[in-house]
Amino acid sequence: VTETRKALDLYNITFLPQGEKIAVAGKQTLKDAILETGIAFDFPCGGTGTCGKCRVRIIDKPLPPTPQEKKLLGKKEISQGVRLACATEIRADLTVQLEPPKRNTHRILHTSAQTGFHLEPLLAKKYVEVPTPSLADPKAYWNRLKDALGKKDRNFINLKVSLPILRDLPDLMRLAEYKLTAITKGEEIIGIEKFDTTCTLLGAAFDIGTTTVVGYLMDLYRGKELAVASSLNPQVNFGADVISRIAAAGKSAKDLKSLQRAIVNHVDLLVGELVKKAGVKREDVYALTVAGNTCMHHLFLGLDPKHLGVAPYVPVTNDLVISEARDFNININPAGRVFAFPNIAGYVGGDTVAVVLATGMDKSRAIKLALDIGTNGEIVLGNKERLIACSAAAGPAFEGAHISSGMRGAEGAIDSVSFGENLVYTVIGETKPQGLCGSGLLDVAAGLIELGIINKRGKLLSPEEVSNPQAAPFLGNIVKLAGTNAFLLAPETITAHGRPVMVTQADIASLQLAKSAIATAVQALIETYGIEIDDIREVLIAGAFGNYMAPHSACVVGLIPRELEQRIKMVGNAAGTGAKAALLSRRELERTKYISSRVEYVELASYEGFSNMFIQALRFHG
Ligand code: FES
């Protein structure tokens, strides 16, 4: 058998600690093999071999390191068998130690600002006792049911029904002894159940982000949240940002299917977790709302996102898409429906619609600025008179990718840093530090700018170049690294992995690009709207990174205009709140269509003077 396998160029790979075994064809990479198994593993640069973060340890006989590995890994790591999964070609049977992202150790934002609205679920239930047919009353089964429902509620006089329901109707009515519960969506019957099931009507709202997925189980009658479940988006296996997901989906129809399957199966898994937590059944769940950026929306629905990747970045649809849950193989009530939020443009999706819905910007007299900062920052400005939005390609710096010691906001990440008399930082999970997440990076940069250790152009100065006496306690943390300066936060002796956690000159440059993208976008929206900064009454910060960042640091770095520091308000996971609101109220769902059509999209790529504005915004003003 071994001979045959070798002739076929097949190798056995065993992944630890899962113990997962897989046979793969030679010349594939370890990344391909990991993806094939479905094990959740992070490939922050999408497997382009540039981030150095997809470290694995080959237990048996390490292969010679590639030039990329020599560049991105330390000598000690290489001698210990550490390799990059995306750069390692399989040429032998291997046992590979993985350290996958631990589920639930990632800090995921669940909380959200509440919004007042009229409770009117997307679906309704009506119990009815239908007269039994007889020779004297041989009325057709459907007409018999429709008449009985019409007598109970005038809204049901013109009910529509589908052929599959009609097919099952006579047997169902007889079995139920003519005691039935009709499930309706507006004027359409979408399901009929035996006996009285009106006591439960549940739904789940999902915020599908590029990095994380959050689901809320809701009681549609009472508007009450019953459970929350969240995790990393399993598509992180295919790359950290939307561009790498678009590229991964564009390889073939099979790859698109794999990306769709990954997220749909995951939503199904989270539904299971939600009902378990709440002690209810999957069949009690009748509706799902899904809000995500346009790429996540397309991948969830199985729509090819390839046109989002090239100018003029056109989505397949911006409309609200309503489908049957069974079309996705999501195991909820057989009558269940999935409502995918409408989008605004190729890079401003349903999650932004949800943010506007949740914050009520479309009904506000005061002009507000909403920012949801992730790999792409979605920014909306305006009030009920006019709303404009754009997307800023901030890159993944705020999520810890492409930063030398960067990591997501998970256990071991330094998430806040202050420079008082000493350097003080906090670590998520209160463990040994492993890296730095976006909010920590922002604090370090802001602190170093205020101390004059980073100058206006973004240069990390050498100790002898720093003139501010208050910087003295921190000058010893400035170290030399490959000819440039770096700021040491945690030496290798106190970190979890034995490597130092530091901020390098290149990290500051990445941060400058990211902050400039957001700051330029904000400036372009203000100019387009024709207002002054002071006209903005509130800055609403949505999403995970923004809610953990310190507003003062954001203003010092220049992410948000300094003048607005006192007007910053954290609104939690506003996209999740919007998804919940639409689930609980037909009017709110209707509002999503209105918002999607009302918000004007501003394309920054063709914005006049954009390059100059961007270069100006790279500077720090302290
Ligand atoms: S180096 Fe492998 S995913 Fe980035």
Side-chain angles (χ1 to χ4, degrees):
V1 174
T2 310
E3 287 311 306
T4 316
R5 294 179 82 83
K6 293 298 166 267
L8 288 170
D9 200 18
L10 277 180
Y11 297 99
N12 288 322
I13 311 295
T14 306
F15 290 112
L16 300 177
Q18 295 84 354
E20 188 91 36
K21 291 185 185 346
I22 188 167
V24 287
K27 303 218 172 62
Q28 285 192 284
T29 62
L30 277 177
K31 172 178 176 255
D32 298 324
I34 294 169
L35 290 182
E36 193 78 28
T37 62
I39 295 172
F41 193 83
D42 224 351
F43 297 101
C45 69
T48 52
T50 51
C51 71
K53 301 254 165 83
C54 60
R55 288 174 162 87
V56 298
R57 199 160 66 82
I58 298 171
I59 305 256
D60 17 39
K61 36 184 179 308
L63 308 167
T66 63
Q68 274 154 304
E69 287 167 332
K70 282 191 192 153
K71 199 170 127 207
L72 293 165
L73 302 175
K75 277 197 182 115
K76 191 165 161 212
E77 286 180 306
I78 289 178
S79 68
Q80 289 169 342
V82 174
R83 295 290 181 272
L84 297 177
C86 71
T88 305
E89 252 187 31
I90 296 169
R91 293 198 205 122
D93 293 345
L94 296 173
T95 306
V96 181
Q97 179 76 38
L98 301 179
E99 280 179 39
K102 287 180 223 140
R103 227 166 150 248
N104 295 331
T105 61
H106 281 76
R107 188 175 58 176
I108 292 170
L109 191 64
H110 293 159
T111 54
S112 47
Q114 281 306 325
T115 156
F117 51 81
H118 180 75
L119 191 63
E120 190 186 7
L122 301 186
L123 305 178
K125 274 184 170 182
K126 194 60 100 184
Y127 174 67
V128 70
E129 293 185 9
V130 184
T132 313
S134 65
L135 280 175
D137 175 19
K139 199 188 285 175
Y141 287 98
W142 164 242
N143 302 75
R144 178 174 297 278
L145 172 64
K146 188 169 66 165
D147 290 353
L149 283 165
K151 272 190 199 146
K152 278 208 126 181
D153 190 329
R154 285 172 54 79
N155 292 327
F156 290 158
I157 287 173
N158 292 317
L159 276 179
K160 292 185 223 65
V161 69
S162 67
L163 203 49
I165 291 179
L166 279 181
R167 285 190 187 118
D168 295 338
L169 190 61
D171 286 347
L172 184 79
M173 285 175 81
R174 294 169 82 98
L175 268 170
E177 295 161 2
Y178 298 91
K179 296 182 178 74
L180 302 155
T181 299
I183 303 132
T184 59
K185 180 173 85 59
E187 293 194 334
E188 184 194 354
I189 288 225
I190 60 166
I192 298 170
E193 292 173 348
K194 285 185 281 178
F195 311 120
D196 187 353
T197 66
T198 53
C199 58
T200 52
L201 184 64
L202 308 182
F206 280 91
D207 163 26
I208 302 184
T210 311
T211 310
T212 55
V213 184
V214 187
Y216 304 85
L217 183 68
M218 305 296 294
D219 180 329
L220 304 192
Y221 284 139
R222 294 166 193 87
K224 213 174 127 216
E225 186 180 295
L226 303 178
V228 186
S230 58
S231 69
L232 279 183
N233 184 333
Q235 292 174 345
V236 294
N237 285 355
F238 298 85
D241 52 47
V242 290
I243 303 296
S244 40
R245 307 272 170 93
I246 293 169
K251 282 191 204 150
S252 69
K254 191 172 153 243
D255 288 287
L256 171 60
K257 198 88 211 132
S258 302
L259 272 116
Q260 189 201 14
R261 217 181 317 115
I263 185 61
V264 166
N265 290 350
H266 198 68
V267 165
D268 187 56
L269 193 94
L270 288 178
V271 168
E273 203 172 311
L274 287 169
V275 296
K276 196 169 164 211
K277 277 187 185 172
V280 295
K281 299 194 290 287
R282 277 179 178 267
E283 306 83 82
D284 297 334
V285 181
Y286 290 83
L288 303 182
T289 48
V290 173
N293 63 49
T294 312
C295 179
M296 294 308 109
H297 163 279
H298 279 39
L299 291 174
F300 178 81
L301 294 177
L303 302 174
D304 193 338
K306 67 172 177 253
H307 299 290
L308 302 178
V310 286
Y313 318 111
V314 180
V316 176
T317 174
N318 278 344
D319 282 358
L320 171 75
V321 176
I322 304 174
S323 4
E324 298 191 18
R326 62 180 142 214
D327 290 345
F328 295 88
N329 275 333
I330 295 179
N331 182 9
I332 57 172
N333 188 283
R337 292 291 190 270
V338 179
F339 301 80
F341 264 50
N343 300 309
I344 293 168
Y347 282 90
V348 183
D351 49 356
T352 305
V353 171
V355 169
V356 174
L357 187 76
T359 55
M361 287 178 78
D362 59 318
K363 298 197 281 192
S364 157
R365 284 166 63 124
I367 294 175
K368 298 182 182 184
L369 174 73
L371 292 105
D372 194 343
I373 307 166
T375 314
N376 274 305
E378 287 98 14
I379 305 162
V380 190
L381 175 70
N383 61 0
K384 64 179 181 179
E385 308 296 335
R386 185 186 181 202
L387 284 165
I388 59 176
C390 69
S391 165
F398 296 131
E399 290 176 351
H402 295 188
I403 297 296
S404 59
S405 297
M407 64 182 285
R408 293 206 175 98
E411 193 174 296
I414 294 178
D415 65 335
S416 80
V417 183
S418 61
F419 297 81
E421 285 177 19
N422 298 306
L423 182 71
V424 178
Y425 56 74
T426 58
V427 181
I428 300 174
E430 292 172 18
T431 58
K432 285 185 172 185
Q434 288 184 40
L436 189 67
C437 67
S439 57
L441 175 66
L442 210 58
D443 282 351
V444 176
L448 297 182
I449 292 165
E450 287 187 317
L451 289 166
I453 295 176
I454 292 179
N455 71 11
K456 288 191 161 71
R457 293 206 326 274
K459 188 176 176 229
L460 236 165
L461 302 178
S462 298
E464 61 280 10
E465 295 174 296
V466 180
S467 55
N468 181 359
Q470 284 173 349
F474 312 105
L475 297 182
N477 294 55
I478 302 171
V479 294
K480 275 275 177 246
L481 193 75
T484 57
N485 292 324
F487 190 83
L488 183 68
L489 280 169
E492 64 267 34
T493 46
I494 62 160
T495 60
H497 42 47
R499 295 191 300 275
V501 174
M502 55 173 71
V503 174
T504 65
Q505 183 62 65
D507 297 339
I508 300 295
S510 297
L511 177 69
Q512 282 177 284
L513 292 175
K515 78 106 180 179
S516 179
I518 302 287
T520 309
V522 170
Q523 194 189 339
L525 287 191
I526 291 172
E527 281 180 11
T528 306
Y529 211 89
I531 53 169
E532 301 296 325
I533 289 182
D534 194 46
D535 293 325
I536 299 171
R537 307 318 302 166
E538 254 181 350
V539 180
L540 309 170
I541 306 290
F545 162 70
N547 273 268
Y548 294 115
M549 78 182 187
H552 178 69
S553 298
C555 291
V556 171
V557 165
L559 192 63
I560 296 169
R562 267 253 158 136
E563 301 88 318
L564 298 175
E565 185 177 335
Q566 298 308 322
R567 299 183 193 173
I568 294 176
K569 185 176 159 198
M570 306 301 185
V571 292
N573 182 9
T577 310
K580 287 195 272 184
L583 183 67
L584 296 172
S585 166
R586 285 163 64 179
R587 283 185 214 175
E588 297 298 295
L589 186 75
E590 282 303 307
R591 238 177 91 208
T592 65
K593 297 195 230 167
Y594 169 76
I595 293 168
S596 140
S597 63
R598 273 275 329 274
V599 179
E600 297 163 38
Y601 177 63
V602 178
E603 177 54 69
L604 293 182
S606 54
Y607 192 82
E608 209 189 319
F610 180 81
S611 307
N612 277 339
M613 286 160 69
F614 186 86
I615 291 165
Q616 287 300 321
L618 286 171
R619 293 176 72 85
F620 293 124
H621 296 287

